[in-house]
């Protein structure tokens, strides 16, 4: 359940959770295809689709949260940093129009950025809170047994490897160049499911992190 203070993120969270369900359905499709035609390499494309969707869903979610939080803070005069708006936006007299234009500006400035890159994600979140990766890590480790806890560097490394793997699939057709374009990099169900779980767990911490107000003199 989302706390009352987090209600502004409800629609974005629901959209993200629905997208994650779609990734799981793609894994189920892989199982069905495998049952129908065992050993067919084309079955693996269902996993590749699931992988790309998981990453894209996370990226979309981060974009939505940034726009929602920016609008909330502009409306309530809550501090942000490193968010630049044209002067003509701030001089719009109608509040609703001013907020809508400001939100549009934030969306536009972020539109070309990929927030599955851990550095870019930190850059985004640092507009709203201090030490975002520390906060993400603390929330993920809360209640976990010691052997399941992860450091900030481990989380960043995992996210970076997922981003690299996604680019392999999306931008290189997952082709292994050492095989002269006739072979693909292997992909398996377990790794895909672990990726979906990781993206979901990290993603669902973002509303809690981005909504924390900036600390005076805090580091990124």
């Amino acid at each position: 359940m989302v706390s009352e203070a987090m209600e502004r993120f409800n629609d974005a969270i629901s959209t993200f959770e629905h997208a994650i369900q779609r990734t799981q359905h793609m894994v189920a499709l892989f199982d069905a295809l495998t049952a129908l035609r065992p050993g067919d390499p084309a079955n693996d494309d269902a996993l590749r689709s699931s992988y790309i969707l998981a990453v894209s869903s996370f990226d979309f979610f981060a974009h939505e949260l940034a726009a929602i939080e920016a609008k909330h803070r502009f409306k309530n005069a809550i501090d942000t940093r490193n968010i630049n708006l044209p002067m003509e936006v701030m001089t719009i007299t109608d509040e609703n129009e001013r907020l809508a234009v400001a939100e549009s500006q934030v969306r536009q400035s972020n539109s070309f950025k990929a927030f599955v890159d851990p550095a870019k994600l930190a850059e985004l979140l640092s507009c709203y809170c201090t030490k975002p990766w520390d906060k993400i890590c603390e929330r993920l480790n809360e209640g976990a047994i010691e052997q399941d806890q992860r450091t900030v560097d481990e989380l960043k490394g995992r996210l970076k490897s997922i981003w690299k793997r996604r680019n392999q699939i999306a931008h290189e057709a997952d082709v292994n160049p050492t095989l002269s374009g006739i072979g693909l990099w292997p992909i398996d169900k377990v790794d895909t499911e672990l990726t979906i779980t990781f993206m979901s767990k990290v993603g669902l911490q973002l509303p809690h992190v981005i909504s924390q107000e900036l600390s005076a003199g805090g580091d990124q």
Side-chain angles (χ1 to χ4, degrees), residues 21-33:
Q21 288 177 356
R22 289 166 59 206
T23 68
Q24 294 164 339
H25 293 161
M26 292 303 296
V27 175
L29 176 60
F30 165 78
D31 288 336
L33 291 172

Side-chain angles (χ1 to χ4, degrees), residues 54-198:
V55 175
S56 299
S57 300
F58 181 96
D59 198 35
F60 173 79
F61 190 41
H63 279 83
E64 286 298 299
L65 295 179
I68 292 167
E69 186 63 17
K71 183 177 181 179
H72 171 74
R73 296 200 184 198
F74 295 157
K75 181 178 181 179
N76 295 283
I78 302 172
D79 286 346
T80 62
R81 63 181 174 191
N82 299 328
I83 297 179
N84 300 313
L85 296 174
M87 182 59 68
E88 55 264 30
V89 175
M90 307 313 296
T91 57
I92 297 174
T93 55
D94 182 83
E95 182 185 23
N96 290 333
E97 182 183 356
R98 184 172 64 252
L99 289 172
V101 174
E103 180 185 359
S104 178
Q105 286 286 331
V106 170
R107 288 183 181 278
Q108 183 177 351
S109 66
N110 288 334
S111 62
F112 62 92
K113 300 175 183 177
F115 297 124
V116 183
D117 178 337
K120 290 294 184 183
L121 182 61
E123 182 182 302
L124 174 76
L125 297 176
S126 293
C127 295
Y128 307 96
C129 69
T130 54
K131 298 183 177 180
W133 269 110
D134 286 352
K135 290 178 169 63
I136 292 171
C137 189
E138 287 169 7
R139 290 192 61 84
L140 286 173
N141 286 334
E142 187 176 327
I145 60 175
E146 185 175 354
Q147 65 194 52
D148 289 338
Q149 294 185 2
R150 298 292 179 264
T151 66
V152 167
D153 286 342
E154 287 173 335
L155 293 175
K156 288 182 179 180
R158 175 67 172 142
L159 190 61
K160 193 169 185 177
S161 69
I162 289 171
W163 176 236
K164 181 179 178 181
R165 186 71 178 93
R166 179 266 178 193
N167 288 343
Q168 234 177 11
I169 298 169
H171 301 309
E172 302 170 14
D174 216 20
V175 171
N176 183 345
T178 62
L179 297 178
S180 303
I182 59 172
L184 304 180
W185 293 107
I187 187 168
D188 67 79
K189 177 182 173 180
V190 172
D191 180 64
T192 303
E193 289 179 321
L194 289 173
T195 296
I196 294 169
T197 299
F198 180 81

